Amino acid sequence: QGPKNPGSLVSQNLTVQMDSTQVLCKKDAFVLNFEFKQYRARVNHVARERSLNLSFGRSQGPERGRNAETVTAKERVNRPILNNPFPSWGTVGFEVNTIRQLASKQLAFIGLATHKSRGSGDTNLSEISDSPPKKDITVESSYRVLCLMSHTGGGHKASAQALKDGFECIYGNSYDVNIVDLWSSHSPWPLCNMPKSYFFLVKNPWLWRLNFRCSEPKIVHETLFRGYAAIVSTQFSRVFMDYNPHLIVSVHPLMQHVPLMSLERLRDKVAKPIPFTTVVTDLTRCHPTWFHKSVLKCFVATKIVVSQALSLGLKTTQIICHGLPIRPSFSIPAGTRAYLREKLGMQKDARTVMLIGGGEGMGKITEIAEELSKRLSETHQLVIICGNNRSLVEKLSAKIWPFSVHVKGFVHNMSEYMSCCDCVITKAGPGTIAEALICGIPIILNGCIPCQEEGNIPFVLENKVGTYSEDPVIIANTVSEWFDKNDGTLEEMSARAKLLGRPDATFNIVRDLADLVLE
């Protein structure tokens, strides 16, 4: 309920009640409790004038309109706002879409942005999902960010989406983040097919290693990039003019040199140079093409990568170490392990192991699953994530297992599945390792892509958060020992993993990127 007189102050507590949905605004912190998630809310926050605008209306789907009731309130304050979740430079809109899976998730992040811990009794986070946000085209964004990636595996796309979600969680619709694959979508043949070669190369490790090593010397890759630039610079420059971004962010090693050469063509056509930044998505060893001296900032995940960046000519003022950008849902407690297992249709008290095949469902998934079925008992259960490999999903789903097995394809609520497991079996991909560390899940590495992922294996082993083996029999025996001994080994590794996890990395990167836009 708003104030009776337009010019009067509102009380410090503002509560809106509709059905079983409650929104509470208390001082500088917003605590929102959504049970049905069928409503839409917008919160605007200003440095010296706080404005709360909440619009509620039942959503019948994206094609239906909204008949909303609106509650507005303004409170003048004559002091700086401390712990302000939004920047003090102006009004920031926070938009929560009418998608059921996202309402609670995005509203909860208002609390995260303040770096305050929220009591579990105040906020219901049980229904948080990883579903990609749906943009509200009715609200005009103030700033445009262009995120460059390439469809070579799922990691780069996941990092780009994590940054996009981070911008929406903190700044709502104030930033319009567009994710673009310049090679696939804006390059002529045959360069447009270059990302497709990734899957062939990783299935033939010796070819991948040869390609990686041969392209490491500066004289080799810079010569290649200059040749590529001569072919695609016109198209790339046109893309930059069309999107007209305030900031460009690259999350792929092949998205530095050629785009920067293309931007040089626009230097005389734009009033102000477009800031260019890199977010490195590898944990340890990185290809030299990740590092370009002309970038404004280079965000890295570990001190190992910091050292490599310095050795390749970047300055300390260019390098920022926050961690890997991971989907924001991993930073929110989604509920207790027992609750998540019940929600996902799993046994509440059974020891659970997750087997991941990556975004494309590659690796010895079938062999490892069969060995696990021989050694685990009925008191255990297995979750298999097959990614986009539909044939593997059908094959494993048709098999009769001696214990509880849950076979899934590509899932959007990976944070929930991972949080309800006791350990995870995966290849040494940096994204999955970072996600497991945030969740405090011990890791069994069962393979790696040569060169850039090889360094992730000693990273896991030396920090004592997991083991490594490519033998399905050894992997199954390791899981069986962990589950049967019950000697605290899993708990110790879980505690060490939690200490290594960087749950705030995405938000810290996003805040720094937003600051660059405003400089």
Side-chain angles (χ1 to χ4, degrees), residues 39-147:
Y39 302 98
R40 185 188 199 92
R42 178 178 298 143
V43 177
N44 289 325
H45 206 89
V46 194
R48 289 192 172 272
E49 178 180 272
R50 275 184 283 183
S51 173
L52 177 65
N53 188 318
L54 301 175
S55 299
F56 294 95
R58 281 200 187 278
S59 171
Q60 303 297 332
E63 71 282 359
R64 294 285 298 275
R66 293 183 294 116
N67 293 321
E69 299 179 18
T70 303
V71 181
T72 60
K74 287 188 177 180
E75 178 183 356
R76 295 277 183 181
V77 284
N78 297 318
R79 59 176 179 80
I81 297 178
L82 301 178
N83 299 318
N84 186 355
F86 300 113
S88 59
W89 40 264
T91 305
V92 177
F94 182 85
E95 186 73 32
V96 178
N97 299 283
T98 54
I99 303 175
R100 291 181 66 239
Q101 297 92 336
L102 285 174
S104 179
K105 167 185 169 183
Q106 293 201 14
L107 291 172
F109 272 110
I110 300 179
L112 277 183
T114 66
H115 291 291
K116 294 181 179 180
S117 59
R118 306 294 184 217
S120 59
D122 291 331
T123 308
N124 179 10
L125 305 179
S126 60
E127 297 292 326
I128 294 167
S129 171
D130 288 352
S131 300
K134 187 174 182 180
K135 185 176 175 181
D136 181 9
I137 61 174
T138 63
V139 180
E140 183 177 354
S141 300
S142 301
Y143 304 101
R144 296 173 298 279
V145 177
L146 185 62
C147 190

Side-chain angles (χ1 to χ4, degrees), residues 394-436:
E394 295 174 358
K395 176 183 177 181
L396 295 177
S397 298
K399 184 178 175 61
I400 299 176
W401 302 93
F403 67 119
S404 178
V405 176
H406 303 265
V407 181
K408 302 293 179 181
F410 190 91
V411 297
H412 290 290
N413 57 336
M414 188 65 171
S415 60
E416 293 183 342
Y417 276 101
M418 190 171 286
S419 295
C420 71
C421 294
D422 295 282
C423 65
V424 59
I425 304 169
T426 179
K427 77 179 185 69
T432 306
I433 291 175
E435 291 169 352

